[in-house]
Amino acid sequence: MEEVNYRMPQLERRLGIANKTIYKHIREGWFPPPVKNGSASLWPVDEIDRYERALKMKATKDELKVLVADFMVERMKGKR
């Protein structure tokens, strides 16, 4: 099965926020950073799905930081 990723324009449309806001949230640690593929910045759809579910469940910024840390561990283990 092919991995599906968002590029920034798709991510902005899906979340309804600007790229400056997305990158601000990444710097603050409560939004997942992109996966780099050459010069392309990509966000795995499954991570964004999980992130949005957490938002809908009214996760706090601290809870979102834990979720983002989980994504990073999964990436390091090769699940990405």
Side-chain angles (χ1 to χ4, degrees), residues 6-78:
Y6 287 121
R7 291 182 181 267
M8 181 56 78
Q10 297 165 305
L11 192 62
E12 288 177 297
R13 280 192 303 275
R14 174 157 178 188
L15 299 175
I17 57 177
N19 67 358
K20 284 184 177 185
T21 303
I22 292 169
Y23 282 114
K24 177 179 181 263
H25 294 175
I26 291 168
R27 284 190 306 276
E28 292 171 351
W30 53 280
F31 192 84
V35 174
K36 297 300 276 183
N37 185 1
S39 63
S41 294
L42 307 169
W43 284 265
V45 169
D46 67 313
E47 287 183 7
I48 301 307
D49 288 343
R50 290 167 56 195
Y51 185 84
E52 279 193 313
R53 279 195 300 275
L55 287 176
K56 287 178 184 175
M57 295 174 60
K58 304 207 184 295
T60 65
K61 288 182 181 179
D62 286 337
E63 291 168 332
L64 292 172
K65 287 179 180 182
V66 170
L67 180 61
V68 169
D70 289 346
F71 293 157
M72 299 302 96
V73 169
E74 290 172 9
R75 289 180 188 183
M76 290 176 66
K77 288 183 177 178

